[in-house]
Amino acid sequence: MMAYIARRLLLMIPTLFGIMLINFVVMQFLPGGPVEQVIAQITGTAVDVTARYGGGSSAEVGGNEGNRTTQAGESGSINAKYRGAQGLDPELLADLERQFGLDKPAHERFFTMLGNYLRFDFGESFFRDRPVVDLVIEKLPVSITLGLWTMLLSYLISIPLGIAKAVRDGTRFDVWSSAIVIVGNAIPGFLFAVFLIVLFAGGSFWDIFPLRGLTSDNWEELSWPARIVDYFWHITLPILALAIGGFATLTMLTKNSFLDEIGKQYVVTARAKGLSERRVLYGHVFRNAMLIVIAGFPGAFIGVFFTGSLLIEAIFSLDGLGLLGFEAVLNRDYPIVLGTLYVFTLMGLVIQLVGDLTYTLIDPRIDFESREV
């Protein structure tokens, strides 16, 4: 087992390197880098929110700025690199490049970045003037809340429901529960969130749940029991909105896995020996059927815990990692984008390894030593 773990840990190095390299290269070709962002602010051509969401190109937003004639002696190689840089001092553009660390060759910047990342030094945000680590830690409570409670709720509902559907396959219970699952799978989480707001958050019917934040403004003044109640009062609607799609997928996965195992020969043999249905189901079938459910756990954990849901965070005014990453991409805030990508990828690889090792807890017959990575 230790040899397998060592091989997997060593495999993480080229995997992490490749992911970071691909994303770094892609970001070099994206238009509208940090220097262009500053130029747009200086020249008054900064793209507003409407334009960012499809309201037009930078030339349209900039009005007549892009039509200005470049003055003699101010157009050089630096000006040519940036759209909208006409009329700006080349020394200013060079200073901007040095400020953002873009004056060095790309390969040198990449390996310098990797060296810093190995020490978990992710630098400072270009436009927030704060360390990336501090920003991530500040947003983590929201992502932890959304991820953990959504996963817990999904698994608590999906696994018992999936088992019950497999045992009662073809009955009325299976048909009606399947209809609910299909509806849940078809409704996007953000649309369900809007429905919950209209119904329970003062939209058109009841005003039961709050619409903003994880806690109330007077949370510090509340007693501990009142704080717990206030916390769950705030997260109820966002968690329900996030869990609707995940619960449907996991329920069908659990049901199909159990149905596949119930039809195998060892189940027939166990029944022929006179074992009760409960003993057959939970003593034999459960162990094998849950393997495929566990296999999907790391992916679900990363998907919900780290990325969360941008739309859910926006709808319920939750300032989490989803919004942080989205705004960083829009602003070309490379330290935030690449720093969070590094952390999430590293933790995702570790959690994937943990998920594989969890197989041995469910079925000790699995031997990773005999497998090739």
Side-chain angles (χ1 to χ4, degrees):
M1 179 63 68
M2 295 305 298
Y4 173 78
I5 295 176
R7 291 198 302 268
R8 286 293 300 270
L9 291 175
L10 290 175
L11 185 62
M12 291 180 186
I13 297 176
T15 303
L16 186 60
F17 178 86
I19 292 174
M20 296 303 299
L21 177 61
I22 292 173
N23 283 273
F24 182 85
V25 171
V26 169
M27 295 188 69
Q28 305 310 304
F29 294 97
L30 291 178
V35 176
E36 286 93 330
Q37 299 283 340
V38 176
I39 291 174
Q41 296 177 8
I42 294 175
T43 59
T45 60
V47 180
D48 59 18
V49 175
T50 303
R52 282 184 174 178
Y53 284 88
S57 64
S58 58
E60 294 171 342
V61 176
N64 296 326
E65 184 67 31
N67 296 326
R68 293 179 181 175
T69 303
T70 304
Q71 298 179 5
E74 293 183 343
S75 62
S77 59
I78 295 180
N79 296 66
K81 290 171 60 179
Y82 305 111
R83 179 183 302 176
Q86 292 89 343
L88 294 180
D89 188 348
E91 293 184 1
L92 173 61
L93 300 179
D95 288 340
L96 290 176
E97 282 192 329
R98 284 192 294 270
Q99 177 183 345
F100 292 116
L102 302 177
D103 56 325
K104 300 177 181 179
H107 68 278
E108 183 177 342
R109 287 187 280 118
F110 176 72
F111 286 106
T112 301
M113 179 192 74
L114 286 185
N116 294 332
Y117 282 10
L118 290 176
R119 303 191 304 270
F120 289 92
D121 177 12
F122 306 116
E124 290 193 358
S125 166
F126 284 163
F127 301 104
R128 294 173 182 260
D129 197 25
R130 292 183 58 191
V132 174
V133 173
D134 292 348
L135 290 171
V136 171
I137 293 176
E138 180 183 307
K139 311 299 181 182
L140 266 181
V142 174
S143 297
I144 291 175
T145 294
L146 293 178
L148 290 182
W149 287 113
T150 299
M151 277 185 40
L152 179 62
L153 181 61
S154 297
Y155 273 77
L156 287 178
I157 296 176
S158 301
I159 293 178
L161 180 58
I163 296 174
K165 286 174 62 61
V167 173
R168 299 173 176 82
D169 184 42
T171 63
R172 289 185 177 180
F173 171 81
D174 182 44
V175 173
W176 283 106
S177 59
S178 293
I180 297 175
V181 169
I182 292 173
V183 172
N185 195 37
I187 298 177
F190 73 90
L191 187 61
F192 189 61
V194 174
F195 170 76
L196 292 176
I197 290 174
V198 172
L199 198 60
F200 298 112
S204 300
F205 296 89
W206 299 282
D207 189 4
I208 301 175
F209 295 98
L211 191 56
R212 297 179 59 87
L214 290 179
T215 57
S216 299
D217 295 336
N218 63 335
W219 191 80
E220 295 290 342
E221 304 172 2
L222 301 176
S223 62
W224 277 108
R227 290 183 181 184
I228 295 174
V229 172
D230 181 77
Y231 172 75
F232 283 103
W233 182 46
H234 279 76
I235 69 172
T236 298
L237 296 188
I239 297 305
L240 288 177
L242 275 174
I244 184 69
F247 119 85
T249 303
L250 187 57
T251 298
M252 297 308 299
L253 177 64
T254 304
K255 175 192 174 181
N256 294 334
S257 178
F258 271 80
L259 284 178
D260 183 60
E261 292 295 325
I262 289 174
K264 291 184 177 179
Q265 184 62 40
Y266 75 89
V267 176
V268 177
T269 303
R271 287 171 175 167
K273 291 180 179 180
L275 297 180
S276 65
E277 283 296 316
R278 184 178 182 85
R279 178 73 180 276
V280 172
L281 182 63
Y282 293 102
H284 295 78
V285 175
F286 184 83
R287 175 187 298 177
N288 297 321
M290 286 301 294
L291 286 175
I292 190 172
V293 178
I294 292 176
F297 175 81
F301 184 86
I302 293 299
V304 177
F305 181 75
F306 291 124
T307 61
S309 174
L310 169 63
L311 292 176
I312 297 299
E313 290 182 10
I315 290 173
F316 291 100
S317 300
L318 301 174
D319 190 12
L321 292 176
L323 278 178
L324 176 66
F326 178 70
E327 292 174 354
V329 172
L330 286 182
N331 295 326
R332 303 297 189 265
D333 202 334
Y334 296 155
I336 293 180
V337 176
L338 293 173
T340 54
L341 174 67
Y342 178 85
V343 174
F344 295 163
T345 303
L346 180 61
M347 296 190 68
L349 293 172
V350 173
I351 291 173
Q352 186 69 53
L353 174 60
V354 172
D356 289 346
L357 297 180
T358 308
Y359 283 152
T360 59
L361 300 178
I362 302 297
D363 191 349
R365 296 172 298 176
I366 295 179
D367 182 15
F368 285 105
E369 293 290 349
S370 60
R371 290 180 53 188
E372 294 292 335
V373 179

